[in-house]
Amino acid sequence: MTATLAPAREPGSPAPASSRRLAERVFRIREFGIVAVLIVFVAVTAGIQPRFLSSTNVQFVLVDATIYALLALGETLVVITRNVDLSVGSVLGISAFLSARLASQAHGLPLPVVFLAGLGIGLGFGVVNGLMVTLGRVPSLVVTLATLYIIRGIDVLVVGGTQVVPSSYYPSFLSMSKATLAGVPDLAIAVAVLVALGWYALRTFRSGRELYAVGSNPDAARLAGIPTGRRVLFAFAISGAIAGVAGVLWASRYGTVDSTAGTSYELQVVAAVVVGGVAIFGGSGSVVGAAIGALLLQTINSALYVLGVSPNWDQAIAGFLLILAIAGDRFILVRLTASLRRRSARRGA
Amino acid sequence: MEPDDVRRRPRPALGRAALARPFLRWETGLVVVVIVVAIAGSALSPEFFTANNLFNLGLNTGEVAIMALPMTLIIITGEIDLSVESTLGMSSALLGVLWADHWPMPAIFVVIAVVGAAAGAVNGLLVTRAGLPSLAVTIGTLALYRGIALILLGPRTVASFPAAYTNAGTTAIPHTDLPYSIGIFIVAAVIFGVVLHATPFGRSIYAMGDNAEAAMFSGLRVKRVKTSLFVISGLASALAGVLFTFRLNTAVQDNGTGLSLDVVAIVLLAGVSIFGGKGSIAGVFLAVLAFAGLQNALLLTNFNQEAMGLVTGGLLLVSVFVPNAAMFVRQLRRAVTRSAPRPGEPALSTPRKDT
Amino acid sequence: MSDGPGEGRAAGAAGEAEDAGAGPGAGGARDGAIPVLALEHVSKSFGAVRAVIDGSIELFGGEAHALLGENGAGKSTMVKMLAGVHQPDGGRFLINGEPVVLGGPADAIDAGIAIIYQEPTLFPDLSVAENIFMGRQPLRSGRRIDSKRCIAAADALFAQLGVRIDPGRISRGLSIADQQLVEIAKALSLNARVIVMDEPTAALSAVEVARLFDVIRALRADGAAVLFISHRLEEVFAICQSVTVMRDGRHVLTAPLTGMSAAELVRAMVGRDMPERIPGEKRAPGEVRLKVERLTREGVFTDVSFEVRAGEIVALSGLVGAGRSEVARAVFGIDRYDAGAVSAGGRRLRKASPTSAMAAGIGFVPEDRRQQGLVMEMSVQQNVALASLSTLRKAGLIRASAERSFASDWAVRLSVKYGQLTDPVSMLSGGNQQKVVLAKWLGRQPSILIVDEPTRGIDVSTKADVHNLLDRLAADGIAILMISSELPEVLRVADRVLVMREGRLTAAFSQAEASAEDIMAAATGQVEAQAQ
Amino acid sequence: SSSGSSSPSSSSSSSGSSGSSGSSGSSGSGTAKSGLKVFVIPKNLGNPYFTTADSKGTGGALAAIGSLGDTGTETSGTAATSASQIPAVQAAITKGANALVVSATDPTALCPTLNGAIKRKIPVVTYDSDAPGCRSLFINQASTSAIGTSEVDLLAKEIGSSGDIGIVSAAASATNQNAWIGFMKQELTKYPKMKLVATVYGNDDPATATQVTQGLLEQYPSIKGIISPTTVGILAAAGVLDSAKYRGKVQLTGLGTPDSMKKYVSDGTVKAFELWNPANLGYLAGYAAADIAGGALTVKPGATFKAGKLGTFTIGADNTVLLGPPTVFDSANIGKFNF
Ligand SMILES: Nc1ncnc2c1ncn2[C@@H]1O[C@H](COP(=O)(O)OP(=O)(O)OP(=O)(O)O)[C@@H](O)[C@H]1O
Ligand SMILES: Nc1ncnc2c1ncn2[C@@H]1O[C@H](COP(=O)(O)OP(=O)(O)OP(=O)(O)O)[C@@H](O)[C@H]1O
Ligand SMILES: [Mg+2]
Ligand SMILES: [Mg+2]
C-alpha cells in the first residue's frame, strides 16, 4: 500500500549515476504531482470566480490552511514512524481554550508566554501519548483514539459549558492572526519557515533519518542500534506540542472558543498527510508534501464556499475531490513506475 | 523420506497454542469488565437491572453493535472502514426521500440494500484495485457519503413513517425483552462467529491480515475477500441506517454522525489488533456489553455526561494496558535506571551516544 | 561444491587449510591466546522452548570459525546473543576475556561486533546507501549528513564485493540476493573486530560467493574474527580454519578443520551418517505438463519459452537477478506479463490468477519464505493447511480433526521439528519454516511443482532429504520446475538445465551434457550456447 | 426597555407578557408538593447558550427549580442530535423524574419518548425549541415572526433599506433558524430594494461559520448587510468583518449575546443586534415545570401563574407561554447587560 518507487535494476545499465539522477527526478515529481493538482484546482476556481484570488481571500485561505499545515507537520513526524496521532484535534481544543482564557484574563501577558503555555499543554499530552505507545507497547491508533476521547472529556470538564469570546482578549491576541507582511499573513510565513526547517532536519540529521528507519522497519531499526522508543516518543511529543501551538492560533483566528474547538480535526489532518504523499504505514513522505496536502484540502473547502456551491453539495464534492487527489497521486506513481520499467527494458535491449 | 527419519524432538508441552492464549486472556478480562460494570451499575442505580432500562440500553446500542461485526472482520484483514456512519446516514436519507416520494416500503429496502452494497464496493475497489490505503479512502467516503445524504435530503426532516415499522424500531420482539436491532445483532454475531472462526473464508481473513503477500502466494483471493468485506460492511451500515431511522422516526441528513469511532473503539476494546490478524467475535460481543452497560450505568447516575469521553477512552486504555501493565512498569523502571550508569558493568556496553 | 567450478574452490580450500595449520590461532590449543569474543555455556529459552541449552563458542582474531548444526540446532540464537538481541539466561559472555552484559544491539555495535542476520533486516523505503550507514552516516559541519560521502562509501563497498547495486535506489524491490549483499556491505562498513555471518551465502550464487570469500580473507588478514554459518559444507572447508558443531541446543565439538572430513562433520551434526542419494528409477518423461510460450514482462524478462514434462525435473539456473523468480511468479499468476502464454495440462492459464494456476494443478514454493511463504502469526498446522482448506471442509466448515491429521501427516513426512502443531510458525527455525512451506504445497498433491530455491537455509541432511523427495515426486509423475542458485544442487537433481541471463533464456542442457563450466559460461554470457 | 424597532408581538397565539397583571392562578409555591425531581434536558451539553439558560449561577432553570424546594438536574447528550438526546430523556424517566424541561433537537424523533413520559403523568415543558403535540407546555423565547421581522427591520435601518444582503445561519436542518428565515423573507417583500442573495450555513461551529462568511463576501462583493440569527454565527461573522476592508461598509445584525459582542459594538463593526435573556427563558421553563409537577399549576389556555422574579405570565393558545419581546442591544445600552 505504500506508494514507493522501486525502479527495476537495469541490466547492463550504463552507470549507476545516471539512473540515480533519474530516480531523483522522479522523487521530486512526487511532490510536484500534488503541487500540480493544487495549481490546476486554483486555476479552475479562479477561472470561474476571479475573486477567489483576491488578496483578502488568499489571506483567509492561507491562515486557515496554516493551522492544518502545522498539525500536518507534527502528524507527519508520527506517521513516518509507522504510528498515528488521532488526539491532535482534542489537544488543539483544550490548548485553544486554556490559552484563550489566559489571553482574556491576564491582559498584561506577552504573547510568547501564551504560546509557551499552549506549547507546554500540547507537549504534556504528546509525551503521555508517546510514553504509552513506546513503553506500554500499545498500538498508537488505540492509544490516541482513547486519548482523543479522554482529552476531549477533560476539556469539557475544564470548560464547563462556558466559552471565551473575542471581546475579552487583549487586542494583540486577535490581531496577530490578521497581520500580514507584503500581503502574506505573518502566520503563513512563520509556518512555511517551520515546515522548511522540518523538511531540512528530516533530510540532513541522523535522528531525522532514524525516524524514517523506525517507520520503514521497526525490527531492523532496533537491530541497527537505533533507540526506537526515544525516536517515537520524540515524534509524539513534537506532534503534541505543535497541536498545542495550533490551539493558540485557532483561538486567535476564530475568537470564540468553547469545548468543541478542533472536533474531528484529526481525520482532516490525517487526510492532508496522506494526500501529501506520506505513506500511512510509515517510512516515507515529507513534511512539505503534507503541508501542501493541507493547503490543498483547505483550498478545496474555501473554493466551494467562494463558488457558492450549494451547501447541500459541498461536502460530497469535498469528499469526492479528496478521493480523487489520493487516487490521482497513486495513478501518476504507478504510471511512472511502469514507464521507468519499460524505459529500462528498451535501454537494456 | 522414510518414517524412521522422523526426529521430532520431545518438548515440554506448551498447553494450548501460544497464539490462542492472549485471546483467552483478553476475553477473560472482558468478562471481568462486564461483570464489574453490571455490579457497579446495579449498585449505583436500582433501576439498572429493570427490564425497561435494559431494553433501552439495547435499543441505543443495536446499530453500533451491528456495524461492529463487519468492522471486526475488516480490521482483522488489516484495513479499516471509517465511512460506516456516513453509509448509515445515506441509507437513512434514502429511506426518508423515497418514503416521502410514496415508494412502497419493500422497494425502498431493495434500493437501500443496493446502495449500501455499492457504497461498500466503492470503498473495497478503491482499496483493493486502486491500491489506496483504506484509512485515507474511507476518510474520503466518510465525507462523500454524508454529502450524498445531504444532497438527497437537504435540510428536510422526514418523519411520517408507518407505525408498523417505527414500532419495530422502538418495541421488543414479541415474547422477549429484546429490541429488534439486538435480536438481529445476536443472530448476525453467531453467523459472523462461525464464518470467521470455522470456515476457509474466515481463515483467509486472518491469513491476509497477518501477511497479505503470503496469503496471495497461497492462492487466497485477497482482493476479492477484502472487497466483499467492505460490501458486507456497507450492507450492515445500510441496515443500521434503516433501524436508526425507524427507532428515531426521523430521517435527517446528520443521522449517525460520530458513530464510526465508537464502532472502532468497540472493536479495539474487543481485543482485535489494529495491525490485523487477531481478534474474535466473542470478544466483540463482550465489548458491546461492556461499552453499552457502562454508558447506560453512567447515564443513570448523576455523572456529568459531557465527560463520557473520559470513561470511553479510559475503558479502552485500561483494557489494552492491563495485559501490558507489568511490562509497562518494567519498561518504565528500565528507562529511569538507564539514565544512571548501571553498576558493575564494563565501559564497553555504555549506551550509544545519540545524535 | 563437488565438481565443476568447485574444483577451483576445493583447491582454495586445501590452501586455506594449510594456512590455518600454520596460522597463529589454528589448532585446538591456540597456545593460551585470549579469544576476542566468547560465549561460555550459555543457555536461552523462549517460554517452554529451550533454543540453546549449553552453547559455547570462541572467536579469535585473524580466524574464520564455522558454526554448524542442523536446522533448529540453535545457531541463530547464539548469533542473537552475540548481537545483544537476546540476553543469555545463563552462562558467560566474554569480550577479550572480560565478562560483559550487552543491553541491546547498540551495545554490540559499540563493542565492535557486526552481524549479518539470517533474515535480511533492511529499511525498504530508504536508499541502499542509507541502509548501510543508518545511524552512522558520515557527517559534515553542523552534524549534518554528508550524503555524497555516504553514496561514495557505499559504491566503494559494492566495488569491493564486486557487485553492481545502485546505492541511491531504495531497497524495496531488491531481490533476496541483493538484500543479502547489502547486509554484507553493511557489516563490512562497521570495520568491526568481529563479523558474524548467519548464512550469508544462502541466497547467493557461485560468483558472489567467491567474491565474498575474497572479502573474508581480506578481513582475516586485517586481524578480524569471523563467525561463518552455512549449510554448504564445501564453503566451510573453503574459508574456515576451525569449527564448532551444535546439536539440539548443545555444544558438540570444537576443532580445527584441518584433517576433518565432511562425513565426520555431518555425523557430529546429526548424530548419524548422511543419507545417501537414492537414485529414483528414472522414467522417460511423459506428456508436456507446463508449457511457457514467448513469455515477456517488459524490463524484467523477454521471450521465455520452455516446457516441463511429467516426471521431469527442469532446473532454471543463472546468476542472481537473472529474472528466474520473476518468470516463476508470472507463471503462477502473481505478476502480470505483457506478452506470451502459459498453459498447464493443455489448458491455457488466466493471466495474474494464482487460483487458476492452482486449479490447473500448479504448486509454488516461493523464494522468500517469511514474506511469501508463511503467515508468521499462524500456527504450524494452519500454515500447512492454508492452501488446502477447500479439501478439509465439510458443509463449508473446516474440520479441525482433518486439519490436524493433515498437518501432522505432512509435518512428519518432511520431518519438521516443532513443539506443538499449534505453535506459531514464527517459533520454528529457518530451515524448519522452509519445510512447512514445502509441506503446504505438497499437501495439495500438485501435478506441476515450481520450487524457487527449495533448499535455501536447509541443513545438509535435510537437503539430501529434499533432493530425494524431489526425485520421488518426479518418479510419481509430477512435473517439477526448480530454480536454484546452487550449481551442485542443479547438477545433482535436474534432468534438464535451462540457463537465464539478463531476462532471457540463453542455454539449455540435458543432464548428460550439463557441466558446471558450461552453465556458468552461459549464465555469465561468456558463450551463447545454443538452445536445444 | 428596549430601543429599536422590534415589533413586539405580531403573533396572536401568545399573550403572555412580563408585566405584572397581578392575576389569580395558583402560583403559591409553598402550598404545592416540593422535593420533586425535575430534569432539565437541553439540546446538548457544553453549549454556552444552554449553560446560561440552565445554570443556577446565571439564574436559569436550575435556580428556579431550586427556589421551589425541588431538585433540578441538567442532563443531555454531548452532540445536538436526537440520537444522543433520547437516551438522556429515557434515563431521566427511568430515574423517576417528576417533570421534564426539554429543548427538542428534533421534535419528531423525540415525540415517542416524550409521549411515554406524559403517559406516565410526567409533565413535559419545552423551551427554546418546541415539540408540538408531545409536551404539556412550551415556553417561547420570542415569537417566531417577531424575530424574523425585527432583524430585517434592524438591518434595513442600517443600510438605508437598499442593497444585497446575506444570511449566515446555523445548520441547514435547524427548525428554529428556518422558521425565522421564512419570516425574514416575508418581511423583505416590504423592502423592494433589499435583495437576499444567499443563505449560508455555519453549523454553529466558529471555524465553519468564519469560512462560509468569507466565502459569502468573496462571492458577492456587493453585499451590504448580513443577518445571522445564531449566537455563534454572528460572532464569527463579526470576526470576519472586523477589518478595515469591511468595517462600516458591511452591516451585521442578528441574535447575539451582549457579553460576547461588546468588542464589536464598541469598535463599530456591529451597530445593533438582539436577543432575549436566555437565563430568564430557562428560569421560566424550570419554574413552570416545577409548578405543574407540584400541582400548583394546571395547564390550560388562559391560566396565569407567577414565576418568581419574572412576574406573572398567561398561558396562551396552544399551551404556549411567551417570554416577551427580545432586547435590542446597541452601543448605548450594551454596557448594562451581563450575559
Ligand atoms: N523467538 C523465538 N521464540 C520461540 N522459539 C524460538 C525463537 N527463536 C528460536 N526459537 C526456537 O529455538 C530453536 C533454535 O532456533 P535457531 O533459529 O537458533 O536455529 P538455527 O540453528 O539457526 O536453525 P537454521 O539452520 O534453520 O537457521 C528452534 O527450535 C526455534 O524454533
Ligand atoms: N518488486 C520489484 N521491483 C523492482 N525490481 C525488482 C522487483 N523484484 C525483483 N526486481 C529486480 O528484478 C530482477 C530479477 O529479479 P529475480 O528475483 O527474478 O531474479 P532471480 O534470477 O530469481 O534471482 P534470485 O537468485 O535472487 O532469485 C532483479 O534485478 C531484481 O532486483
Ligand atoms: Mg538460523
Ligand atoms: Mg529468485
Side-chain angles (χ1 to χ4, degrees):
Chain A
M1 213 156 293
T2 320
T4 357
L5 282 177
R9 188 170 60 178
E10 300 143 49
S13 69
S18 86
S19 70
R20 201 182 308 150
R21 225 175 297 128
L22 187 68
E24 270 171 15
R25 226 180 300 145
V26 171
F27 275 112
R28 236 179 286 135
I29 292 170
R30 180 125 185 68
E31 259 116 44
F32 278 151
I34 314 158
V35 175
V37 173
L38 180 63
I39 291 173
V40 168
F41 187 79
V42 169
V44 170
T45 312
I48 303 170
Q49 173 60 278
R51 271 184 309 278
F52 182 64
L53 289 179
S54 78
S55 68
T56 37
N57 194 57
V58 170
Q59 280 168 22
F60 279 142
V61 172
L62 283 178
V63 172
D64 288 338
T66 50
I67 292 173
Y68 280 104
L70 205 53
L71 292 171
L73 168 62
E75 188 74 51
T76 302
L77 295 187
V78 174
V79 172
I80 281 176
T81 65
R82 196 179 281 190
N83 283 293
V84 69
D85 185 355
L86 292 181
S87 71
V88 287
S90 299
V91 172
L92 180 147
I94 196 165
S95 154
F97 182 80
L98 290 177
S99 58
R101 185 181 269 181
L102 202 60
S104 64
Q105 287 181 351
H107 277 202
L109 223 53
L111 267 181
V113 176
V114 180
F115 271 101
L116 275 181
L119 186 136
I121 293 162
L123 186 67
F125 285 120
V127 167
V128 169
N129 278 335
L131 283 178
M132 287 194 285
V133 171
T134 55
L135 298 186
R137 301 274 167 83
V138 179
S140 57
L141 195 137
V142 183
V143 165
T144 59
L145 181 62
T147 51
L148 174 155
Y149 285 115
I150 291 174
I151 297 172
R152 182 66 65 188
I154 296 172
D155 190 19
V156 153
L157 289 183
V158 169
V159 176
T162 61
Q163 63 182 349
V164 182
V165 294
S167 306
S168 55
Y169 303 120
Y170 54 94
S172 61
F173 187 73
L174 280 182
S175 58
M176 112 186 131
S177 57
K178 294 194 166 146
T180 60
L181 187 77
V184 183
D186 289 359
L187 287 187
I189 296 173
V191 169
V193 168
L194 269 183
V195 169
L197 284 178
W199 175 80
Y200 186 75
L202 283 185
R203 272 176 69 96
T204 34
F205 295 111
R206 280 183 186 169
S207 42
R209 299 315 296 166
E210 288 174 3
L211 287 181
Y212 285 94
V214 169
S216 193
N217 185 347
D219 293 333
R222 226 162 284 129
L223 293 180
I226 295 171
T228 50
R230 234 178 295 164
R231 294 288 171 265
V232 172
L233 178 60
F234 170 80
F236 273 100
I238 297 288
S239 174
I242 283 182
V245 171
V248 181
L249 296 183
W250 197 97
S252 161
R253 168 78 181 115
Y254 299 115
T256 316
V257 189
D258 59 19
S259 59
T260 62
T263 307
S264 76
Y265 270 38
E266 54 281 341
L267 295 187
Q268 283 280 324
V269 171
V270 171
V273 166
V274 172
V275 167
V278 178
I280 196 72
F281 297 119
S284 78
S286 81
V287 293
V288 173
I292 298 172
L295 183 59
L296 177 62
L297 293 194
Q298 272 313 296
T299 310
I300 289 174
N301 272 347
S302 159
L304 295 177
Y305 295 136
V306 171
L307 291 176
V309 171
S310 151
N312 292 346
W313 281 81
D314 62 7
Q315 196 167 11
I317 295 176
F320 180 75
L321 288 177
L322 172 59
I323 293 168
L324 206 65
I326 307 167
D329 186 55
R330 170 82 190 176
F331 178 75
I332 293 173
L333 196 76
V334 170
R335 288 296 295 265
L336 268 171
T337 316
S339 81
L340 240 132
R341 182 159 61 86
R342 299 232 153 80
R343 203 173 330 153
S344 76
R346 235 167 287 129
R347 192 137 18 106
Chain B
M1 283 170 218
E2 313 309 322
D4 54 74
D5 280 359
V6 178
R7 293 156 294 146
R8 272 190 52 194
R9 192 195 316 168
R11 282 226 186 83
L14 271 178
R16 295 270 316 158
L19 186 68
R21 250 204 261 149
F23 286 11
L24 293 180
R25 207 188 318 143
W26 190 287
E27 276 131 29
T28 331
L30 276 176
V31 170
V32 173
V33 170
V34 170
I35 292 171
V36 167
V37 166
I39 292 173
S42 47
L44 287 171
S45 161
E47 295 94 2
F48 185 75
F49 267 115
T50 59
N52 180 46
N53 183 56
L54 292 180
F55 173 78
N56 285 339
L57 181 159
L59 199 57
N60 295 325
T61 316
E63 298 104 18
V64 170
I66 288 171
M67 292 190 291
L69 292 172
M71 183 73 87
T72 302
L73 271 50
I74 288 179
I75 292 185
I76 291 177
T77 67
E79 308 288 349
I80 197 166
D81 183 359
L82 292 179
S83 71
V84 288
E85 63 173 61
S86 294
T87 308
L88 183 156
M90 189 162 67
S91 140
S92 174
L94 210 52
L95 180 56
V97 167
L98 297 181
W99 178 248
D101 263 7
H102 311 295
W103 284 45
M105 216 33 117
I108 297 179
F109 290 157
V110 171
V111 172
I112 287 178
V114 170
V115 169
V122 168
N123 284 333
L125 293 177
L126 283 170
V127 170
T128 58
R129 302 292 157 176
L132 304 176
S134 55
L135 187 68
V137 165
T138 56
I139 288 177
T141 50
L142 176 72
L144 179 61
Y145 298 158
R146 179 65 62 193
I148 292 174
L150 193 55
I151 294 172
L152 286 171
L153 207 52
R156 266 192 299 169
T157 299
V158 178
S160 51
F161 296 105
Y165 291 101
T166 54
N167 281 346
T170 48
T171 57
I173 301 172
H175 315 301
T176 67
D177 278 335
L178 291 178
Y180 280 87
S181 57
I182 289 296
I184 294 174
F185 167 68
I186 291 172
V187 172
V190 170
I191 296 173
F192 273 76
V194 169
V195 168
L196 179 63
H197 298 299
T199 66
F201 184 81
R203 183 67 61 77
S204 70
I205 288 174
Y206 283 110
M208 69 188 64
D210 189 37
N211 186 347
E213 193 175 356
M216 185 177 69
F217 272 84
S218 305
L220 306 181
R221 303 172 190 231
V222 175
K223 292 180 178 180
R224 197 180 296 186
V225 170
K226 283 188 179 175
T227 309
S228 65
L229 291 182
F230 278 101
V231 170
I232 293 169
S233 177
L235 275 170
S237 309
L239 170 65
V242 172
L243 294 169
F244 195 99
T245 312
F246 286 151
R247 169 161 72 88
L248 299 180
N249 189 18
T250 318
V252 283
Q253 53 87 11
D254 66 354
N255 268 352
T257 315
L259 289 187
S260 288
L261 288 186
D262 283 355
V263 174
V264 172
I266 287 183
V267 173
L268 295 180
L269 181 61
V272 177
S273 162
I274 196 71
F275 298 129
K278 289 197 196 89
S280 75
I281 294 292
V284 174
F285 195 84
L286 291 167
V288 166
L289 283 184
F291 189 81
L294 189 65
Q295 285 211 334
N296 179 272
L298 291 175
L299 213 47
L300 291 182
T301 62
N302 285 339
F303 180 81
N304 182 348
Q305 296 308 310
E306 289 177 85
M308 185 69 93
L310 277 177
V311 177
T312 310
L315 184 63
L316 194 54
L317 272 192
V318 166
S319 70
V320 290
F321 262 110
V322 168
N324 289 11
M327 180 172 55
F328 183 78
V329 172
R330 214 177 313 131
Q331 296 269 332
L332 199 65
R333 198 175 302 149
R334 207 155 134 204
V336 171
T337 52
R338 180 166 288 185
S339 43
R342 274 168 292 174
E345 203 176 288
L348 262 178
S349 54
T350 48
R352 205 166 67 96
K353 296 155 289 294
D354 289 311
T355 359
Chain C
M1 307 224 166
S2 50
D3 47 15
E7 279 171 12
R9 186 135 344 121
E16 288 301 332
E18 276 160 35
D19 284 0
R30 281 182 196 143
D31 308 328
I34 299 174
V36 250
L37 198 62
L39 289 176
E40 285 183 354
H41 303 293
V42 289
S43 57
K44 181 73 196 172
S45 302
F46 302 100
V49 179
R50 302 173 73 186
V52 171
I53 298 163
D54 178 8
S56 294
I57 198 158
E58 292 184 338
L59 302 180
F60 293 88
E63 186 187 82
H65 188 84
L67 179 57
L68 297 182
E70 284 183 291
N71 293 136
K75 303 181 296 293
S76 297
T77 308
M78 293 286 279
V79 167
K80 286 181 181 157
M81 286 191 268
L82 289 175
V85 175
H86 295 324
Q87 273 73 43
D89 297 336
R92 295 206 303 164
F93 189 145
L94 305 171
I95 294 182
N96 291 329
E98 299 281 320
V100 291
V101 177
L102 297 186
D107 292 350
I109 293 171
D110 286 345
I113 305 170
I115 314 277
I116 298 168
Y117 294 96
Q118 183 170 9
E119 311 291 346
T121 55
L122 297 183
F123 307 111
D125 303 286
L126 302 185
S127 75
V128 167
E130 278 195 291
N131 262 289
I132 296 174
F133 294 107
M134 181 50 67
R136 303 172 287 108
Q137 296 96 332
L139 297 181
R140 53 197 167 119
S141 64
R143 306 179 86 186
R144 292 171 301 157
I145 292 170
D146 189 341
S147 42
K148 282 216 186 74
R149 259 171 63 205
C150 197
I151 297 242
D155 264 332
L157 285 167
F158 288 136
Q160 190 185 350
L161 288 169
V163 293
R164 204 195 278 154
I165 298 176
D166 175 3
R169 69 160 283 174
I170 59 168
S171 58
R172 185 185 305 278
L174 283 177
S175 67
I176 291 274
D178 284 350
Q179 292 180 32
Q180 196 63 262
L181 289 165
V182 174
E183 289 289 348
I184 293 170
K186 193 188 333 184
L188 292 181
S189 76
L190 281 163
N191 290 321
R193 298 181 300 157
V194 179
I195 300 194
V196 179
M197 303 182 169
D198 195 352
E199 304 197 27
T201 56
L204 302 185
S205 60
V207 179
E208 287 101 345
V209 171
R211 294 302 280 258
L212 176 64
F213 285 0
D214 290 342
V215 171
I216 292 178
R217 285 187 198 102
L219 288 171
R220 278 182 48 213
D222 289 347
V226 176
L227 179 63
F228 183 82
I229 299 178
S230 174
H231 289 295
R232 302 179 188 169
L233 288 185
E234 66 277 8
E235 291 176 356
V236 169
F237 280 110
I239 197 68
C240 296
Q241 289 78 53
S242 52
V243 61
T244 293
V245 177
M246 291 183 72
R247 187 165 72 225
D248 291 350
R250 291 178 201 277
H251 176 263
V252 175
L253 76 85
T254 296
L257 266 171
T258 15
M260 289 216 78
S261 73
E264 279 174 86
L265 285 179
V266 171
R267 226 178 351 263
M269 279 157 63
V270 301
R272 63 190 165 88
D273 285 324
M274 175 123 151
E276 283 303 302
R277 181 171 189 210
I278 310 152
E281 357 94 60
K282 276 288 161 199
R283 288 185 307 186
E287 83 282 2
V288 173
R289 280 275 171 77
L290 177 68
K291 191 172 168 71
V292 174
E293 290 164 286
R294 307 194 62 108
L295 209 61
T296 299
R297 178 169 157 83
E298 281 180 49
V300 183
F301 54 80
T302 313
D303 222 0
V304 174
S305 306
F306 61 87
E307 293 172 355
V308 185
R309 290 169 180 275
E312 184 185 42
I313 302 180
V314 175
L316 203 48
S317 186
L319 292 188
V320 159
R324 298 162 300 169
S325 300
E326 300 279 342
V327 170
R329 289 165 56 112
V331 168
F332 189 65
I334 300 290
D335 293 339
R336 283 189 175 279
Y337 43 85
D338 298 315
V342 179
S343 26
R347 264 194 303 148
R348 181 125 177 224
L349 297 186
R350 276 180 35 218
K351 239 187 229 187
S353 166
T355 356
S356 144
M358 283 165 70
I362 304 184
F364 180 37
V365 177
E367 63 178 333
D368 185 344
R369 57 174 171 261
R370 290 172 69 87
Q371 278 308 309
Q372 303 163 344
L374 295 170
V375 179
M376 284 301 190
E377 302 255 319
M378 280 193 164
S379 65
V380 175
Q381 169 179 324
Q382 289 173 330
N383 270 288
V384 172
L386 195 58
S388 310
L389 289 175
S390 52
T391 62
L392 297 173
R393 68 183 168 185
K394 191 175 189 178
L397 303 185
I398 300 172
R399 280 180 303 146
S401 58
E403 183 182 9
R404 200 176 322 114
S405 61
F406 175 83
S408 70
D409 179 30
W410 280 100
V412 165
R413 285 209 228 176
L414 296 186
S415 42
V416 180
K417 273 193 208 167
Y418 58 86
Q420 300 265 322
L421 275 176
T422 44
D423 289 351
V425 77
S426 58
M427 280 171 61
L428 266 53
S429 78
N432 281 302
Q433 290 177 357
Q434 182 72 26
K435 290 186 200 168
V436 171
V437 186
L438 270 166
K440 174 170 93 177
W441 286 106
L442 293 183
R444 278 188 62 85
Q445 316 212 301
S447 62
I448 302 164
L449 186 63
I450 306 176
V451 287
D452 195 351
E453 310 286 5
T455 59
R456 188 164 84 85
I458 287 199
D459 62 41
V460 260
S461 62
T462 316
K463 187 185 284 184
D465 288 344
V466 169
H467 292 163
N468 287 340
L469 178 74
L470 289 177
D471 278 342
R472 216 175 55 210
L473 292 171
D476 289 349
I478 296 179
I480 298 178
L481 177 67
M482 177 184 80
I483 297 171
S484 173
S485 297
E486 231 189 307
L487 268 184
E489 176 169 272
V490 166
L491 292 170
R492 185 166 160 195
V493 176
D495 298 316
R496 241 160 13 99
V497 181
L498 307 175
V499 184
M500 274 186 83
R501 182 170 72 85
E502 292 180 3
R504 289 170 187 276
L505 275 184
T506 52
F509 306 96
S510 68
Q511 185 177 31
E513 61 195 26
S515 77
E517 290 84 357
D518 292 347
I519 293 176
M520 283 316 290
T524 54
Q526 284 156 9
V527 282
E528 202 85 350
Q530 82 242 49
Q532 60 173 178
Chain D
S1 66
S2 66
S3 65
S5 60
S6 66
S7 41
S9 173
S10 50
S11 96
S12 55
S13 62
S14 37
S15 57
S17 85
S18 55
S20 46
S21 28
S23 94
S24 66
S26 37
S27 56
S29 52
T31 62
K33 274 188 285 177
S34 68
L36 303 171
K37 288 193 255 179
V38 182
F39 284 83
V40 180
I41 308 173
K43 282 185 184 171
N44 62 325
L45 296 173
N47 179 332
Y49 170 81
F50 284 113
T51 306
T52 311
D54 299 345
S55 303
K56 200 170 212 125
T58 55
L62 298 183
I65 296 163
S67 74
L68 292 176
D70 298 327
T71 318
T73 309
E74 190 195 27
T75 175
S76 188
T78 46
T81 62
S82 42
S84 118
Q85 193 182 25
I86 286 174
V89 178
Q90 287 168 341
I93 298 170
T94 309
K95 281 190 271 187
N98 298 104
L100 300 178
V101 178
V102 179
S103 173
T105 45
D106 191 329
T108 44
L110 227 52
C111 263
T113 315
L114 294 183
N115 276 331
I118 290 171
K119 235 179 272 160
R120 295 174 194 216
K121 304 268 184 300
I122 304 170
V124 176
V125 175
T126 54
Y127 71 124
D128 179 71
S129 173
D130 195 13
C134 35
R135 44 83 174 160
S136 322
L137 185 68
F138 172 47
I139 309 295
N140 193 355
Q141 59 270 45
S143 102
T144 309
S145 62
I147 294 282
T149 52
S150 66
E151 281 170 24
V152 171
D153 294 341
L154 264 179
L155 189 64
K157 220 170 65 174
E158 291 172 7
I159 63 172
S161 302
S162 93
D164 290 350
I165 67 164
I167 294 175
V168 177
S169 175
S173 55
T175 12
N176 273 349
Q177 298 278 322
N178 292 335
W180 289 328
I181 292 171
F183 279 105
M184 286 180 199
K185 287 179 179 160
Q186 207 175 311
E187 181 72 2
L188 274 172
T189 55
K190 292 191 199 151
Y191 301 95
K193 286 197 216 138
M194 277 169 71
K195 186 165 155 258
L196 176 62
V197 291
T199 303
V200 296
Y201 300 91
N203 293 334
D204 271 357
D205 166 51
T208 312
T210 302
Q211 287 174 358
V212 296
T213 309
Q214 281 162 19
L216 180 69
L217 290 168
E218 291 300 333
Q219 197 194 354
Y220 301 100
S222 58
I223 276 186
K224 289 280 173 295
I226 294 175
I227 300 175
S228 183
T230 142
T231 53
V232 179
I234 195 172
L235 255 182
V240 174
L241 296 182
D242 180 16
S243 72
K245 187 173 174 199
Y246 295 119
R247 190 175 299 122
K249 297 178 192 103
V250 179
Q251 300 301 331
L252 173 65
T253 190
L255 299 176
T257 62
D259 261 359
S260 67
M261 295 292 288
K262 264 174 196 146
K263 170 186 187 303
Y264 298 115
V265 171
S266 61
D267 71 11
T269 307
V270 175
K271 291 211 177 80
F273 62 96
E274 61 182 0
L275 194 67
W276 53 90
N277 185 330
N280 286 353
L281 175 67
Y283 187 91
L284 181 54
Y287 208 101
D291 261 3
I292 298 169
L297 171 64
T298 311
V299 177
K300 59 174 187 294
T304 61
F305 66 105
K306 187 164 176 303
K309 63 178 184 183
L310 295 182
T312 304
F313 291 82
T314 307
I315 298 177
D318 194 26
N319 291 341
T320 300
V321 175
L322 186 66
L323 178 65
T327 311
V328 173
F329 308 100
D330 57 21
S331 56
N333 71 354
I334 195 164
K336 285 186 258 164
F337 295 93
N338 190 19
F339 63 85

